[in-house]
Amino acid sequence: MTNAVPTPVWHALSREVALACAPSGEILWADERAVRMLEAVPGAALRQLAAPGLEEKVERLLTLARDERVEGWEVVLCVGGQPRTFAFRGMPHEGHVALVGSLVPEDYAASLSQVSETLSELAALHRETERQQRELKRRADELLRLNRELEESNRGVRKLHAELDEKTESMIRTAEIKSRVVANVSHEFRTPLHSILGLARLLLNPANGTLSGEQQKQVQFIRSSAEALFELVSDLLDLSKLESGKTTLRPTRFGARDFLGALRGMMRPLLTSDSPVELRFAEPLDELTLETDEAKVSQVLRNLVSNALKFTEKGHVTVSVKAGPDDRVLFQVRDSGIGIAPEYHQHIFEEFAQVDSPLQKKVRGTGLGLSLSRRLATFLGGDLTVQSTPGHGSTFTFSLPRVHPEVAEFNVITERSQQLEPGRSPVLVLEDDRQTLFLYEKYLSRSGFQVLPVRTVDEARRTLQRVRPAAVVLDVMLEGETSWSFLSELKTNEATRDIPILVVTLMDREQKARALGADEFWLKPVAEEQLLRKLANMARAAPVKKLLIIDDDDVHRYLFRQMLSGTPYVLNEADNGPEGIRLAREQSPDLIFLDFVLPDMTAFDVLDELKVDPRTRDIPVILHTSHQLNEEERQRLAKETSTILAKHTVSREVAIARIRDALHKNLGSGAEVHRG
């Protein structure tokens, strides 16, 4: 609604709350007292403010006040979680409903007595107040003098704060502009650099014509310079991504031995056959398995090895890996090069920093390799350190967790989801971005829900085989696949079509999502309150149901328990008719599974006992049996039960479908006979 709802002229009494509602019951406007007492906010439904079980009276009030003036309509609403009675009057107002409610005192007589006592006390308090006011005036004069002095000091402090804020904002803007410029320029540089490198390779290829020795030397200089510039551009782009938080973690599981073998193959071409430097790769003593971003680990080590080869004129560069403390892995790159003086150990990790030495001037590095490597190490949850002495080489140690913290946290959530927690409604979340999954876990775990996280459609299908969630949160755009077909599959499958599905994604494809059956569609990012409110409504639409099975067959009761494992149904059991009737009267189950043949009474006897008792008369009954019913028995049972199931045809899917149908069926509509 675009226009503000006008305030009714009779709303302003101090003990009253004022509301304006749409004919549908949606709150359009609420005064300050209504917001404070009732937590009434525009957009919510008025019936949500009612005490449990009294929602229909609120609906009736809206219906009457929509067409005519209503006076003295008492409604019980929740104030701070406690039911309180309000006397409402309402009337139609410009196509809406205007309501004013007065809080009814719980004990009116006691209130009058309190008023009388209060008036007596007020006289005494008035005298004391006058005395206190004189004292307050004296103190106020003293405070006024102190305030003048403080105001002068505050003006100076505020001026300093303003200058600091201005400088902070300027620095933030400068950093943002730098990141954007670096990213844009880096991308723009890559295209011409690719062309220069490609043309240089063509010119150096004898198949495209013969160059003189001097020409080959010149083209080789062009190629070397272009490669150096390309390396600089790539490093700048990686740094820009790390600074802006746009770097993506792509974890995989890999072994350290195979990883070093692949790294050896990539780095060996950097040395010629007659090089005075030997590149060594030490075999790990133990087989170490890592679960982190293999590409970024490789990038760090490539930078370290390349850097070591540049500053080692002769001798060796050795790469090794070993297990470290606290489930960490230590990669080390040792060289016999020129070494680094202690005062430069931190300086070398700064951007564009270089140590002044004859060899440094000769190789002319970009000054970004070590800075980028340390940032990547930090991104992977690790660190990068150096030990070095001038003239005795350097040792760079890259330490990182064997399992990336983000992956470890996700594994904990996944393991926890294997066991359903009593009292928590399970919510299946199909989302490939771990950070988003962590947010969902944080939001939902403290609000009575249990997150069942999955990152692929196949994982989601496997989870649905063991658990029936109260709702599904679904991202349709996953890495390497979409889940449109999975959404359609859920909504066309009889066993899952009534599970509420909330689609949350980056692409505005609401029309398609709704067409495939989505119950709600939102664009990322999702606010915590919005998500919790919607899921709470969805979960209430599919509450946990209590079931009772009356069957003397231990094996069949066991099979039935297994079939309902992971569903929102709580199953109680009885192995004879009298015990089943007692449990039905005491626990009031939502549905009863009844065996036709019991040791002490027949199904007809149990049904008769249930029907004569008003506590159990309306409980739907599903008859399951392996007994061959004659036509007379079948016709009678069809009138008194919801469904007749043959035991040999009962499966998890059939059981859940028949339970759902029985719970939603009108008891007067007759019985359905299922023969399998």
Side-chain angles (χ1 to χ4, degrees):
M1 181 176 179
T2 57
N3 297 325
V5 178
T7 305
V9 296
W10 32 267
H11 77 38
L13 296 179
S14 63
R15 291 186 57 80
E16 294 182 335
V17 296
L19 302 161
C21 299
S24 63
E26 179 187 2
I27 297 174
L28 302 175
W29 172 86
D31 69 358
E32 181 181 355
R33 186 175 178 84
V35 173
R36 185 174 68 255
M37 291 179 60
L38 304 176
E39 298 182 353
V41 294
L46 181 62
R47 65 178 287 128
Q48 294 178 351
L49 308 180
L54 299 176
E55 293 87 353
E56 297 300 323
K57 194 167 184 180
V58 173
E59 295 285 356
R60 182 64 177 157
L61 170 62
L62 286 169
T63 302
L64 293 174
R66 186 174 56 201
D67 302 318
E68 60 184 294
R69 191 180 187 93
V70 177
E71 298 284 348
W73 189 279
E74 290 192 359
V75 176
V76 180
L77 304 180
C78 289
V79 178
Q82 298 296 323
R84 298 295 299 274
T85 303
F86 286 78
F88 272 92
R89 57 187 185 275
M91 67 177 185
H93 186 80
E94 297 183 3
H96 307 296
V97 177
L99 298 172
V100 172
S102 301
L103 182 63
V104 178
E106 296 183 357
D107 190 341
Y108 189 74
S111 298
L112 292 177
S113 176
Q114 287 180 345
V115 169
S116 178
E117 293 175 3
T118 302
L119 289 174
S120 300
E121 294 173 356
L122 281 174
L125 288 173
H126 179 69
R127 290 189 294 273
E128 178 64 18
T129 300
E130 287 182 340
R131 186 189 66 79
Q132 292 179 355
Q133 284 179 342
R134 289 192 294 271
E135 177 65 17
L136 286 173
K137 185 177 184 306
R138 185 186 65 79
R139 295 185 179 183
D141 292 340
E142 179 67 17
L143 286 173
L144 184 61
R145 183 184 63 80
L146 293 174
N147 282 337
R148 292 194 191 99
E149 296 177 0
L150 288 173
E151 183 62 29
E152 293 177 359
S153 300
N154 285 339
R155 280 196 294 269
V157 173
R158 285 196 296 268
K159 184 177 180 181
L160 289 174
H161 276 290
E163 293 176 358
L164 287 173
D165 289 342
E166 184 178 350
K167 290 182 179 179
T168 301
E169 291 177 2
S170 176
M171 291 176 66
I172 292 174
R173 286 196 300 270
T174 301
E176 291 176 349
I177 292 171
K178 186 199 78 171
S179 296
R180 288 198 298 268
V181 169
V182 168
N184 293 336
V185 170
S186 298
H187 279 296
E188 293 298 326
F189 276 179
R190 282 190 166 190
T191 300
L193 282 174
H194 277 299
S195 300
I196 293 171
L197 288 170
L199 291 171
R201 282 192 291 269
L202 285 175
L203 289 172
L204 292 173
N205 189 342
N208 296 313
T210 304
L211 299 178
S212 67
E214 189 64 25
Q215 288 174 327
Q216 287 185 349
K217 185 176 180 180
Q218 292 170 356
V219 173
Q220 188 62 51
F221 283 150
I222 294 173
R223 180 179 177 181
S224 300
S225 299
E227 287 175 345
L229 183 56
F230 187 81
E231 180 183 353
L232 174 62
V233 169
S234 297
D235 288 347
L236 281 171
L237 190 57
D238 289 337
L239 278 172
S240 175
K241 288 181 179 178
L242 286 166
E243 288 179 351
S244 62
K246 295 180 180 179
T247 303
T248 304
L249 180 73
R250 291 185 172 84
T252 57
R253 185 185 293 269
F254 60 95
R257 194 183 306 275
D258 293 338
F259 172 77
L260 287 185
L263 186 65
R264 181 190 298 114
M266 284 188 287
M267 304 307 294
R268 279 284 170 82
L270 295 179
L271 296 175
T272 59
S273 58
D274 58 349
S275 173
V277 180
E278 180 185 2
L279 179 57
R280 304 171 182 172
F281 284 83
E283 287 290 326
L285 298 177
D286 301 314
E287 180 54 52
L288 297 172
T289 301
L290 294 86
E291 195 167 357
T292 186
D293 194 320
E294 182 179 6
K296 290 181 175 57
V297 175
S298 177
Q299 186 175 357
V300 172
L301 290 174
R302 290 198 310 271
N303 283 343
L304 295 178
V305 172
S306 176
N307 201 61
L309 291 174
K310 288 178 182 178
F311 298 100
T312 303
E313 294 183 298
K314 61 180 179 178
H316 63 85
V317 173
T318 303
V319 183
S320 63
V321 61
K322 63 180 179 179
D326 301 326
D327 200 28
R328 297 177 77 83
V329 176
L330 305 180
F331 288 95
Q332 289 188 323
V333 178
R334 296 186 180 90
D335 65 63
S336 57
I338 61 175
I340 306 168
E343 61 267 24
Y344 292 113
H345 284 185
Q346 292 304 316
H347 178 66
I348 60 174
F349 292 108
E350 298 174 4
E351 295 175 16
F352 303 105
Q354 295 181 342
V355 178
D356 189 15
S357 69
L359 186 56
Q360 175 72 66
K361 294 176 181 178
K362 181 179 178 182
V363 297
R364 292 191 178 274
T366 64
L368 288 177
L370 290 177
S371 174
L372 175 60
S373 296
R374 174 168 275 188
R375 287 177 181 265
L376 286 172
T378 303
F379 176 77
L380 295 172
D383 55 23
L384 180 61
T385 58
V386 63
Q387 291 179 333
S388 181
T389 303
H392 294 85
S394 305
T395 299
F396 286 85
T397 301
F398 173 28
S399 170
L400 75 162
R402 189 183 61 80
V403 179
H404 191 279
E406 194 174 293
V407 177
E409 186 177 353
F410 181 76
N411 291 340
V412 170
I413 297 174
T414 303
E415 291 174 7
R416 191 162 58 235
S417 71
Q418 298 304 309
Q419 296 294 329
L420 294 183
E421 301 177 26
R424 289 183 175 270
S425 299
V427 176
L428 178 66
V429 179
L430 175 53
E431 170 64 64
D432 62 337
D433 180 66
R434 287 184 175 83
Q435 293 293 340
T436 304
L437 275 173
F438 295 152
L439 283 178
Y440 287 153
E441 166 71 14
K442 180 180 178 181
Y443 293 165
L444 301 181
S445 61
R446 61 192 183 196
S447 303
F449 295 99
Q450 181 182 3
V451 173
L452 308 179
V454 292
R455 301 184 68 237
T456 66
V457 170
D458 288 339
E459 289 181 33
R461 290 194 179 101
R462 288 194 294 270
T463 301
L464 285 171
Q465 290 175 357
R466 64 179 181 85
V467 179
R468 179 182 174 84
V472 175
V473 178
L474 180 69
D475 185 358
V476 293
M477 304 307 296
L478 305 173
E479 186 174 352
E481 63 177 340
T482 66
S483 58
W484 291 116
S485 60
F486 179 63
L487 170 60
S488 176
E489 175 185 322
L490 289 178
K491 285 305 183 179
T492 55
N493 189 325
E494 185 178 5
T496 58
R497 65 188 178 194
D498 60 342
I499 299 177
I501 297 179
L502 169 60
V503 173
V504 184
T505 189
L506 289 170
M507 294 183 62
D508 190 1
R509 303 295 298 277
E510 180 173 3
Q511 186 174 0
K512 181 175 181 178
R514 298 279 191 185
L516 292 175
D519 298 273
E520 188 58 88
F521 179 92
W522 290 339
L523 289 173
K524 291 181 179 180
V526 177
E528 178 178 1
E529 293 182 1
Q530 181 187 20
L531 177 65
L532 294 179
R533 186 165 55 249
K534 173 55 67 174
L535 286 179
N537 291 337
M538 287 180 167
R540 280 197 296 270
V544 174
K545 297 292 186 180
K546 294 185 294 183
L547 308 182
L548 171 64
I549 182 171
I550 307 174
D551 194 327
D552 63 326
D553 187 341
D554 295 339
V555 174
H556 189 72
R557 293 203 311 276
Y558 171 79
L559 291 174
F560 207 76
R561 280 199 307 273
Q562 297 304 308
M563 283 190 292
L564 297 182
S565 174
T567 68
Y569 303 119
V570 176
L571 182 66
N572 290 311
E573 304 174 26
D575 59 4
N576 59 72
E579 175 69 9
I581 294 170
R582 183 186 67 81
L583 289 176
R585 290 169 177 167
E586 292 178 356
Q587 300 181 0
S588 300
D590 298 288
L591 179 66
I592 296 174
F593 274 84
L594 175 63
D595 189 11
F596 180 73
V597 179
L598 297 169
D600 43 10
M601 56 198 310
T602 68
F604 295 115
D605 298 327
V606 175
L607 288 170
D608 289 341
E609 291 290 334
L610 295 174
K611 297 303 179 186
V612 298
D613 192 327
R615 292 172 294 178
T616 58
R617 179 180 302 149
D618 296 328
I619 300 175
V621 177
I622 292 179
L623 189 82
H624 63 114
T625 182
S626 55
H627 180 72
Q628 185 66 36
L629 301 175
N630 60 42
E631 190 59 30
E632 182 181 352
E633 291 172 331
R634 185 177 296 279
Q635 289 180 1
R636 179 181 173 186
L637 290 170
K639 296 178 181 179
E640 300 184 24
T641 62
S642 298
T643 305
I644 301 174
L645 291 175
K647 282 188 176 181
H648 68 278
T649 66
V650 177
S651 64
R652 176 185 173 92
E653 292 74 18
V654 170
I656 292 174
R658 298 304 165 224
I659 290 170
R660 186 180 65 248
D661 292 343
L663 291 173
H664 289 84
K665 184 189 297 183
N666 187 322
L667 292 178
S669 64
E672 171 192 355
V673 179
H674 177 80
R675 296 181 173 84

